[in-house]
């Protein structure tokens, strides 16, 4: 426990120094958002990864060298992320006992540390718990490997932290404080709303509210302490089935409901008739965690690449960069978007799990520009997600960077955050004010809106 005490002391000193210059929350919230995004990507990739490993084990009885390297690399990435989240979890924990602070500020600090700890718990559940139940996988992770900065019995050590009764009690104290403070009539800022959403939609948070959870963890810890590495069989009990029930929640992607435009066949038909290849799509999903912290009104951007017929009309259907995607396009995947899983082609039906949507089109676009935009969009397919949200890096991109890269002839507004330039979906929307882009179609709360009514202007200044 010495390292925890040292971290607490360092965190307290760093906190005091930072407050002398500017609000610590500005820095900590932005970096937390990036860590949460990285966590959600890891979780979303876990099911397919485990299926791939299990298929290999069932067919050959052992893991290939390539699969072993993948496991080691994922574990190394997990450890790096875990270390960063642990620092945040410890940062404001001392404020639980600090009663001289402003009450709202104290509450917000504890919320930040609690949410970081909860993300740590969730990450273990969705990334490593499945490893614990398979002997081959346990053996790979528990075997030391200096190339990937892995110690001997690595999974065993991480699991002991997760099943620690001491850590569980610390979590309970923070949760009890959080629930008491919820009764106070604080005026929540956007950051507090984000933290509250992060906490209360966490499967670990809901599990720890269960009175039986403590008994389950205690029982697992008892067996854990009496077993060897190869005999450890944690989390096999039905009462803590990690991949179903309370831990389902879309693999932790924090979506509280379906979008109001979901399965809206009328809207889908109308949009297909109205959109043209190269159009920019904006959407809002207030029921998702990430929408709570994206600046401005709009939360995501994508590009409509059009149908087979339209691509043929433009003369680019047989371009080498498009040919590999012929089947997907014919199946209806006609939207290029950058998601946590990377840049991919998706269908309009998949995209419409949203509440609000806007279709934008460049006012002075011609065939030559439209062709160039679409070809650049296809060139982005397969790229990874940009956790740094930096428009100056092109090997990894996020949704709004996709538009930034494809519409190279437009000078897009950006914001400088933590030394890097970022472009947001709202930056794209604001180009309608200069008439470089024009609003083609607008949906609000699931219904098509006459955009001459002034609602669009309210969206641009985020006053809805």
């Amino acid at each position: 426990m010495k390292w925890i005490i040292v971290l607490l002391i360092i965190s307290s000193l760093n906190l005091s120094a930072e407050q002398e210059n500017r609000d610590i929350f500005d820095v900590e919230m932005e970096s937390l958002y990036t860590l949460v995004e990285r966590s959600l990507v890891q979780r979303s990739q876990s099911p397919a990864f485990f299926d791939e490993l299990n298929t290999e084990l069932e067919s050959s009885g052992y893991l290939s060298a390539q699969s072993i390297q993948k496991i080691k690399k994922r574990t190394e990435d997990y450890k790096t992320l875990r270390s960063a989240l642990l620092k945040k979890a410890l940062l404001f924990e001392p404020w639980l006992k600090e009663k001289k602070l402003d009450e709202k500020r104290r509450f917000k600090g504890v919320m930040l540390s609690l949410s970081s700890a909860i993300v740590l718990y969730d990450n273990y559940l969705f990334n490593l718990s499945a490893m614990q139940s398979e002997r081959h996988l346990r053996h790979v992770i528990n075997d030391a490997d200096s190339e990937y900065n892995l110690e001997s019995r690595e999974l065993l050590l991480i699991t002991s932290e997760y099943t620690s009764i001491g850590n569980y009690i610390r979590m309970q104290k923070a949760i009890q404080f959080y629930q008491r403070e919820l009764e106070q009539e604080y005026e929540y800022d956007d950051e507090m709303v984000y933290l509250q959403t992060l906490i209360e939609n966490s499967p670990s948070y809901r599990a720890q509210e269960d009175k039986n959870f403590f008994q389950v963890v205690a029982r697992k810890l008892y067996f854990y302490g009496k077993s060897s590495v190869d005999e450890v069989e944690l989390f096999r009990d039905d009462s803590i089935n990690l991949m179903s029930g309370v831990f389902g929640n879309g693999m932790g992607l924090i979506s509280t409901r379906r979008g109001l435009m979901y399965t809206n066949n009328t809207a889908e038909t109308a949009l297909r008739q109205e959109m043209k290849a190269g159009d920019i799509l904006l959407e809002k999903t207030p029921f998702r965690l990430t929408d709570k912290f994206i600046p401005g009104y709009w939360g995501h951007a994508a590009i409509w690449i059009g149908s087979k017929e339209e691509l043929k009309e433009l003369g680019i259907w047989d371009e080498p960069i498009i040919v590999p995607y012929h089947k997907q396009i014919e199946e209806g995947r006609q939207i290029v978007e950058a998601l946590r899983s990377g840049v991919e082609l998706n269908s309009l039906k998949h995209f419409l799990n949203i509440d609000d949507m806007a279709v934008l089109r460049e006012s002075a676009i011609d065939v030559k520009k439209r062709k160039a935009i679409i070809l650049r969009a296809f060139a982005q397919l397969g790229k990874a997600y940009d956790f740094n949200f930096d428009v100056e890096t092109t090997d990894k991109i996020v949704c709004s960077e996709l538009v930034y890269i494809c519409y190279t002839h437009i000078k897009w507004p950006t914001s400088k955050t933590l030394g890097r330039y970022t472009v947001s979906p709202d930056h794209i929307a604001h180009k309608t004010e200069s008439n470089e882009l024009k609003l083609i179609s607008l949906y609000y709360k699931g219904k098509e809106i006459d955009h001459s009514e002034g609602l669009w202007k309210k969206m641009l200044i985020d006053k809805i």
Side-chain angles (χ1 to χ4, degrees):
M1 296 297 289
K2 289 182 180 179
W3 61 275
I4 292 181
I5 296 172
V6 171
L7 272 176
L8 283 172
I9 294 172
I10 293 173
S11 297
S12 298
L13 292 173
N14 288 342
L15 188 57
S16 299
E18 185 71 34
Q19 285 176 333
E20 291 178 5
N21 299 312
R22 67 181 182 126
D23 197 330
I24 184 69
F25 292 119
D26 292 342
V27 176
E28 295 301 329
M29 284 300 301
E30 288 192 22
S31 58
L32 175 64
Y33 179 71
T34 301
L35 294 175
V36 171
E37 284 292 293
R38 289 173 57 189
S39 297
L40 296 180
V41 170
Q42 282 189 352
R43 295 181 210 171
S44 68
Q45 294 172 344
S46 288
F49 181 64
F50 290 134
D51 285 346
E52 179 185 326
L53 295 177
N54 286 327
T55 299
E56 185 175 357
L57 286 171
E58 288 174 3
S59 63
S60 63
Y62 63 92
L63 294 171
S64 66
Q66 184 180 40
S67 293
I68 291 173
Q69 287 181 333
K70 286 182 180 179
I71 294 172
K72 299 280 190 179
K73 183 62 172 68
R74 282 181 66 89
T75 306
E76 181 185 39
D77 292 343
Y78 171 86
K79 278 188 64 180
T80 301
L81 182 57
R82 179 176 180 267
S83 176
L85 284 166
L86 181 60
K87 289 178 181 178
K88 288 193 183 295
L90 296 171
L91 185 60
F92 294 103
E93 186 183 21
W95 284 17
L96 284 169
K97 298 179 180 179
E98 183 55 72
K99 297 182 179 180
K100 294 181 180 180
L101 292 168
D102 173 78
E103 291 183 359
K104 180 180 175 180
R105 182 176 181 81
R106 179 188 178 204
F107 179 40
K108 186 174 178 180
V110 173
M111 286 177 77
L112 196 151
S113 280
L114 174 59
S115 61
S116 301
I118 281 175
V119 172
L120 272 171
Y121 269 74
D122 286 349
N123 284 355
Y124 176 86
L125 297 177
F126 293 113
N127 292 308
L128 289 187
S129 62
M131 297 282 195
Q132 192 61 266
S133 62
E134 171 53 56
R135 181 175 179 176
H136 281 84
L137 305 184
R138 288 201 309 271
H139 176 73
V140 171
I141 297 181
N142 282 320
D143 185 35
D145 193 324
S146 57
E147 180 183 356
Y148 296 98
N149 192 33
L150 300 180
E151 301 175 20
S152 177
R153 299 162 67 90
E154 189 75 63
L155 180 57
L156 205 60
L157 293 170
I158 294 173
T159 303
S160 69
E161 288 294 315
Y162 178 82
T163 56
S164 164
I165 299 301
N167 286 340
Y168 171 77
I169 292 173
R170 291 167 65 187
M171 176 80 87
Q172 282 295 305
K173 288 179 179 178
I175 288 175
Q176 289 166 8
F177 173 86
Y178 167 75
Q179 291 176 339
R180 286 197 304 270
E181 291 299 303
L182 284 177
E183 299 175 3
Q184 305 300 317
E185 296 182 358
Y186 297 124
E187 183 177 346
Y188 282 29
D189 56 31
D190 291 342
E191 294 172 343
M192 293 176 75
V193 171
Y194 174 80
L195 292 172
Q196 182 179 20
T197 305
L198 185 60
I199 292 168
E200 297 189 3
N201 283 284
S202 159
S204 293
Y205 174 77
R206 296 199 300 276
Q208 295 206 41
E209 287 185 305
D210 186 344
K211 295 179 180 178
N212 295 321
F213 186 81
F214 182 86
Q215 294 177 349
V216 172
V217 172
R219 186 168 67 253
K220 298 297 179 182
L221 184 62
Y222 173 78
F223 286 110
Y224 172 81
K226 291 185 174 295
S227 302
S228 68
V229 174
D230 285 340
E231 292 170 342
V232 172
E233 294 287 344
L234 299 179
F235 308 116
R236 297 293 293 273
D237 194 289
D238 290 339
S239 61
I240 190 167
N241 187 339
L242 306 182
M243 296 306 170
S244 63
V246 72
F247 297 107
N249 197 29
M251 286 309 294
L253 296 182
I254 318 298
S255 181
T256 57
R257 60 171 172 83
R258 294 287 191 182
L260 298 177
M261 293 183 69
Y262 185 67
T263 66
N264 187 333
N265 295 328
T266 302
E268 184 178 349
T269 301
L271 285 164
R272 285 186 179 280
Q273 293 174 348
E274 198 163 24
M275 292 189 298
K276 292 184 178 181
D279 283 354
I280 299 168
L281 314 182
L282 301 180
E283 53 111 293
K284 184 171 181 63
T285 52
F287 50 90
R288 288 186 181 141
L289 168 69
T290 46
D291 198 81
K292 304 291 184 184
F293 203 54
I294 295 174
Y297 187 82
W298 298 100
H300 182 59
I303 293 177
W304 174 255
I305 54 94
S307 64
K308 173 182 178 180
E309 291 70 28
E310 193 169 4
L311 293 175
K312 279 190 170 184
E313 186 178 336
L314 288 170
I316 57 175
W317 174 251
D318 292 320
E319 285 286 335
I321 201 168
I322 295 180
V323 170
Y325 301 99
H326 278 181
K327 184 178 180 181
Q328 291 186 47
I329 296 169
E330 290 172 340
E331 291 173 346
R333 298 189 183 187
Q334 296 162 8
I335 292 175
V336 175
E337 57 181 335
L339 304 174
R340 295 187 188 94
S341 50
V343 184
E344 57 191 50
L345 270 176
N346 280 315
S347 67
L348 181 57
K349 187 180 294 293
H350 174 274
F351 186 84
L352 288 179
N353 186 16
I354 57 179
D355 280 8
D356 305 348
M357 177 177 174
V359 179
L360 306 181
R361 184 175 301 154
E362 186 179 357
S363 301
I365 196 168
D366 54 29
V367 172
K368 184 178 180 181
K369 284 182 181 178
R370 197 185 299 276
K371 290 165 64 173
I373 289 165
I374 295 168
L375 292 174
R376 275 196 293 272
F378 274 94
Q380 309 314 308
L381 288 170
K383 287 187 177 182
Y385 190 80
D386 182 9
F387 294 112
N388 292 319
F389 311 99
D390 188 345
V391 297
E392 294 180 333
T393 60
T394 57
D395 61 326
K396 299 178 181 180
I397 60 176
V398 293
C399 65
S400 44
E401 290 174 16
L402 175 66
V403 176
Y404 183 91
I405 289 171
C406 292
Y407 281 78
T408 55
H409 54 283
I410 291 181
K411 186 173 177 58
W412 297 102
T414 58
S415 298
K416 192 170 185 180
T417 305
L418 295 179
R420 58 184 180 267
Y421 288 94
T422 63
V423 61
S424 72
D426 264 42
H427 283 138
I428 296 168
H430 276 281
K431 275 296 179 179
T432 59
E433 294 180 310
S434 61
N435 294 322
E436 290 176 84
L437 299 180
K438 58 183 177 180
L439 179 63
I440 301 300
S441 184
L442 181 64
Y443 285 78
Y444 176 63
K445 292 188 176 180
K447 297 181 180 179
E448 188 171 14
I449 300 296
D450 181 353
H451 44 267
S452 65
E453 295 179 355
L455 181 65
W456 178 250
K457 291 184 179 179
K458 292 181 180 179
M459 289 177 172
L460 290 179
I461 56 176
D462 197 16
K463 292 296 185 182
I464 296 179

